[in-house]
Amino acid sequence: MHRLRLLGNYAGKLCTERSSAPAIHRASIHAGRHALVYGDDVAAARRNGLPIVALESTIVTHGMPYPDNLNTALRVENAIRKQGVVPATIGIIDGKIHIGLNNEQLKILSKADPTRTTKCSRRDISSIVSRKLNGGTTVSATMLIAHAADIPIMATGGIGGVHRGAELTFDVSADLTELGRTPVAVVCSGVKSILDIGRTLEYLETQGVPVIKIGETLEFPAFYCSETVDKVKAPCRVSNAKEAAALLEAQRALGINTGVLFAVSIPEEHALQPVIVESAISEALRKANSMNVTGKRVTPFLLSELNEITSGQSLEANIALVENNARIAAEIASNLISNETSRRAFCTGSAPARSILSKRKPVVVGGAVLDTVLQVKEPRINNDGRTHAGRSRHSCGGVGRNVADALIKLGMENTRLISVVGHDEYGKIILEGLGAGGKTVKRMSDVNTARFTVIVDVNGECYFNVSEMESFAAIAPELIKERQSHLEEASIIVLDGNTPLDTMRCVLDIASQANVPVWYEPTDVRLAAKIFEAGARWKNVLHFVSPNLNELKAIGEYLDISVGGTESLATARGISERLVEHEHVPVVIATLGSQGVVVRVAEFSSREAAPRTLLIYRPFSLAFHFSQVTRKASQSEPFYDESGRLVAGSSIASRLYPVADHAKSSEILSVSGCGDCLAAGIICGIHRNLDESGCVSLALKTAALSLSSLDAVPQTLAELSSDNQL
């Protein structure tokens, strides 16, 4: 609410007059847009209004040796993705301007001979394109191209500037003039230390470029160092990315068409001492002069010499500062998108999210497997080739199939599973078990149905497993496009972690365009963060994630979220609170074995959508006596309101959900489908518009029935589909 009030003074004017502001360069480059090639992630982000950060590529072509350059480029992109933002590394390959280089293209530029690859500034673009050559884009070229692609912010290590001795050589980087005429923000660690920092700031002042330090002091950074030798001050300061985004919004609202330079100090643990760096620079400059190194060759030569003089310390510092700058740029980009969304809602009124209750048609995308349990009757399994007496049992499994089957048995007959099975007997068994829900499963003659075989001893302890999951690769984007209409009409889409990454991207794109919420089941600790690796697509549509504790830790590690302590409940709470704090995921459902149910909600303005974090600790063992719920909404309220928005309240309450006495005494026969049935119980409860208490109660009942059955999804779930059981 406060943010909307602050924007209110000029939001209406911005909404009605933004289109009339001068668009420098965009029209002038329009005729050459046929040469722009967008990467898949960037193209999807542009379609869906997701935040993007541009990255220059001279750090790949001329900034570092191979493989440091490639590894750094990948680390920098990953730092951006961890913030839920799409990285767009810009470079020129065979005369095509790529906005969003893929890994293979990055490798091409990283291995290219720097003497034969152009360090491409604004003046070089047309020449490189016309001659179909390769080029690494400098800050100035990256700004120009990013502006043509409507990307408002980029990250780099340090910008070019006024060279030492420029009063004689007139050597001034084109980065400075580009900042004076192209409205793209640049996040950097100031000016490269090899340049004249004081004169560079004077030049930027003449160009009318705002220079903003992000941090708690006005000390202007000196690339490898957190401050200059003579302690040069920045003219302005903001404390964090949110304030930086607000400043950019004000710049745009006023129609000021210069760039903005955001200066970020290198992380303290990687910073070098200014005196040591200055001495190394002097030595490198003397060598450059003696070898008559001039023009574009100066900067890469000096950086290489510095790395040698400092025994690699300058390279390590360079990598650390670039990665940090990218992370902060991503935070600013996220705030820009958030502000834009709020302002659009304030000006015109945003359409409510599509109601999950409007159609009872969940769609599940994931694996379908035939499980086989081989139990040896003898007291000891000998690994010497002998034959053991035993018995076997077959059942249908796979996370995606289990969730779909459980939903169908709970009375949601419109549920559909999108998966692949072979044209074999096992595939036939799986399809027969799903009934109408299996109509969207594709049978393929050139694949075998996925199988999972487990060998257990006489006591039921697992000896080893054999998996045959090659068919998962056939759940490809082409299949998703064939089934696209089902996804577009879905009330919710459930994705399991066995789905290939490209397929996930395709599903998330469709979900975003159709405004359908997504539930992600990580499936395995190695796959826990997979959906976050798909770029920023998840940002707008992901409502639920249901990991176990180890998978939750893996997600936290991927997103750079760590908490102290070893106690499982405290760890889960800590990671989930951080997820709420950074607004990564609205709802987290974590399994902790014998723990209960805890619902926690972030605090949101009443004018905004209200994501929340729900922690459900699944009862893999029923040796507990209650489930506890804490959230900023009454237990009598549903998870979604009638317009499809997640519900949040104003006060925190803690509630207990006792486990039924008969469930506590039930014999546990199998845990394989417990979590899948619990997830289905929550989804079914949401569709029935049950309140929080009802959803959790139904979920615990479904989990208990699964535990007491040899089948992952027991037939007894159908007993819960009648209203008097809910």
Side-chain angles (χ1 to χ4, degrees):
M1 181 69 78
H2 300 300
R3 180 169 65 201
L4 291 174
R5 287 199 187 110
L6 289 171
L7 289 169
N9 291 331
Y10 63 87
K13 176 180 174 63
L14 179 61
C15 288
T16 57
E17 297 184 5
R18 172 73 62 81
S19 61
S20 63
I24 297 177
H25 306 310
R26 210 168 275 155
S28 64
I29 197 173
H30 179 77
R33 280 187 171 178
H34 68 279
L36 302 183
V37 180
Y38 293 97
D40 291 342
D41 283 358
V42 177
R46 281 165 53 83
R47 287 195 305 271
N48 300 323
L50 302 180
I52 305 172
V53 170
L55 298 167
E56 49 110 335
S57 52
T58 52
I59 194 171
V60 177
T61 57
H62 294 81
M64 297 178 184
Y66 181 83
D68 295 316
N69 54 357
L70 177 60
N71 293 335
T72 299
L74 296 175
R75 283 178 57 177
V76 168
E77 288 196 345
N78 195 43
I80 292 172
R81 288 192 182 95
K82 285 182 179 180
Q83 304 302 314
V85 178
V86 174
T89 302
I90 293 173
I92 304 176
I93 298 178
D94 297 331
K96 292 289 185 181
I97 300 173
H98 290 268
I99 304 175
L101 296 170
N102 60 35
N103 289 0
E104 193 59 39
Q105 291 164 337
L106 283 171
K107 189 176 293 185
I108 289 171
L109 289 183
S110 67
K111 290 184 173 182
D113 183 350
T115 63
R116 297 183 179 181
T117 304
T118 301
K119 184 181 177 184
C120 188
S121 185
R122 160 190 272 266
R123 71 170 187 183
D124 307 299
I125 295 175
S126 56
S127 173
I128 301 304
V129 169
S130 66
R131 293 188 291 157
K132 295 181 171 50
L133 301 178
N134 293 354
T137 55
T138 64
V139 169
S140 67
T142 303
M143 287 181 69
L144 178 64
I145 295 166
H147 182 50
D150 296 317
I151 302 174
I153 189 165
M154 67 163 289
T156 186
I159 64 166
V162 178
H163 282 253
R164 302 185 188 206
E167 67 275 12
L168 299 176
T169 63
F170 296 98
D171 195 348
V172 178
S173 172
D175 295 353
L176 305 187
T177 50
E178 202 66 47
L179 278 161
R181 59 187 173 186
T182 301
V184 170
V186 179
V187 180
C188 63
S189 290
V191 185
K192 293 184 176 70
S193 302
I194 57 178
L195 306 173
D196 190 320
I197 296 174
R199 287 176 176 169
T200 298
L201 293 181
E202 289 288 345
Y203 195 101
L204 288 171
E205 180 183 0
T206 302
Q207 293 288 315
V209 178
V211 177
I212 316 296
K213 167 71 181 299
I214 300 180
E216 298 307 314
T217 72
L218 279 171
E219 302 293 344
F220 191 79
F223 201 57
Y224 304 121
C225 313
S226 56
E227 60 183 21
T228 62
V229 174
D230 47 355
K231 298 187 183 300
V232 172
K233 306 289 185 184
C236 185
R237 180 187 71 83
V238 296
S239 298
N240 51 46
K242 186 174 182 179
E243 292 181 10
L247 187 148
L248 272 183
E249 285 295 323
Q251 174 101 343
R252 294 162 66 183
L254 293 167
I256 301 174
N257 285 293
T258 67
V260 176
L261 186 73
F262 287 114
V264 181
S265 292
I266 181 175
E268 199 58 43
E269 64 270 22
H270 298 287
L272 304 184
Q273 292 300 314
V275 175
I276 295 175
V277 172
E278 189 63 27
S279 174
I281 290 171
S282 297
E283 182 179 340
L285 282 169
R286 285 194 295 271
K287 188 170 182 179
N289 289 333
S290 67
M291 296 176 64
N292 293 319
V293 178
T294 59
K296 290 183 177 183
R297 297 185 299 137
V298 172
T299 298
F301 176 85
L302 293 178
L303 292 176
S304 176
E305 286 299 311
L306 279 178
N307 185 48
E308 186 173 334
I309 294 169
T310 61
S311 301
Q313 285 183 302
S314 64
L315 177 59
E316 292 177 10
N318 197 351
I319 294 171
L321 66 87
V322 172
E323 189 173 358
N324 186 56
N325 295 343
R327 178 182 60 80
I328 292 175
E331 291 178 4
I332 297 172
S334 290
N335 278 280
L336 279 174
I337 289 292
S338 177
N339 291 350
E340 183 73 24
T341 301
S342 297
R343 187 170 50 256
R344 196 161 49 239
F346 183 80
C347 297
T348 62
S350 59
R354 174 178 175 174
S355 175
I356 194 173
L357 307 174
S358 61
K359 291 186 178 181
R360 292 168 49 83
K361 186 181 178 182
V363 174
V364 184
V365 182
V369 181
L370 188 81
D371 293 330
T372 301
V373 177
L374 300 176
Q375 185 167 31
V376 175
K377 291 183 178 180
E378 299 168 18
R380 177 187 176 93
I381 297 178
N382 295 287
N383 190 21
D384 57 5
R386 74 178 66 187
T387 299
H388 292 83
R391 60 182 178 182
S392 65
R393 180 174 58 84
H394 301 289
S395 63
C396 296
V399 171
R401 193 220 68 91
N402 287 350
V403 173
D405 190 22
L407 286 169
I408 293 168
K409 285 185 169 65
L410 286 169
M412 303 195 68
E413 295 88 356
N414 285 339
T415 300
R416 294 293 180 265
L417 172 66
I418 297 178
S419 188
V420 169
V421 297
H423 226 294
D424 48 33
E425 189 63 28
Y426 308 120
K428 181 180 178 182
I429 293 172
I430 288 173
L431 291 179
E432 288 175 348
L434 289 170
K439 288 182 178 179
T440 45
V441 176
K442 187 169 186 177
R443 295 192 75 178
M444 302 179 66
S445 57
D446 56 345
V447 302
N448 295 321
T449 299
R451 296 189 63 187
F452 182 81
T453 304
V454 57
I455 313 297
V456 299
D457 63 20
V458 69
N459 298 314
E461 295 293 329
C462 176
Y463 192 68
F464 66 87
N465 305 315
V466 178
S467 65
E468 305 167 69
M469 307 296 181
E470 291 80 5
S471 65
F472 289 169
I475 310 173
E478 292 74 21
L479 174 62
I480 299 303
K481 291 172 183 176
E482 290 175 12
R483 308 289 193 261
Q484 182 166 339
S485 62
H486 292 278
L487 294 169
E488 292 172 336
E489 296 169 2
S491 54
I492 190 169
I493 298 170
V494 182
L495 262 174
D496 88 21
N498 288 313
T499 309
L501 190 57
D502 285 344
T503 305
M504 281 189 183
R505 293 188 176 111
C506 185
V507 170
L508 292 173
D509 282 346
I510 293 171
S512 181
Q513 293 162 13
N515 199 18
V516 179
V518 172
W519 179 306
Y520 177 60
E521 166 54 54
T523 307
D524 185 273
V525 67
R526 296 167 298 176
L527 308 174
K530 193 172 183 179
I531 197 166
F532 304 105
E533 297 170 10
R537 292 169 170 83
W538 61 270
K539 194 84 171 178
N540 288 346
V541 296
L542 183 62
H543 282 201
F544 296 85
V545 176
S546 47
N548 62 29
L549 178 60
N550 289 330
E551 291 161 354
L552 181 62
K553 288 179 179 178
I555 291 172
E557 182 178 348
Y558 182 83
L559 297 174
D560 285 335
I561 295 173
S562 60
V563 295
T566 58
E567 200 273 321
S568 59
L569 181 57
T571 299
R573 280 177 167 167
I575 295 174
S576 298
E577 286 171 3
R578 292 289 303 279
L579 286 173
V580 171
E581 177 187 349
H582 294 288
E583 301 179 29
H584 285 114
V585 180
V587 182
V588 178
I589 301 177
T591 64
L592 292 181
S594 63
Q595 302 294 328
V597 177
V598 180
V599 180
R600 304 181 68 86
V601 187
E603 185 173 0
F604 289 87
S605 160
S606 60
R607 291 293 301 272
E608 297 173 314
R612 64 184 170 185
T613 294
L614 161 67
L615 284 136
I616 298 183
Y617 303 121
R618 296 181 190 157
F620 286 146
S621 165
L622 292 178
F624 63 87
H625 304 291
F626 62 84
S627 305
Q628 177 181 331
V629 174
T630 305
R631 73 166 177 145
K632 288 185 169 116
S634 167
Q635 73 184 102
S636 62
E637 289 184 289
F639 289 122
Y640 288 88
D641 64 21
E642 291 183 358
S643 68
R645 298 187 188 278
L646 289 163
V647 177
S650 58
S651 60
I652 300 176
S654 181
R655 295 177 287 276
L656 303 180
Y657 287 91
V659 174
D661 291 337
H662 69 83
K664 297 176 190 175
S665 59
S666 298
E667 180 185 3
I668 298 176
L669 298 180
S670 172
V671 301
S672 64
C674 176
D676 305 330
C677 288
L678 188 140
I682 293 286
I683 295 169
C684 180
I686 290 171
H687 282 78
R688 290 179 178 271
N689 203 23
L690 299 183
D691 59 17
E692 174 191 294
S693 177
C695 285
V696 174
S697 176
L698 176 58
L700 292 175
K701 288 176 182 178
T702 60
L705 289 174
S706 177
L707 286 170
S708 58
S709 171
L710 288 173
D711 292 322
V713 181
Q715 188 61 42
T716 50
L717 291 190
E719 299 172 8
L720 300 178
S721 64
S722 59
D723 290 340
N724 62 347
Q725 290 290 313
L726 297 177

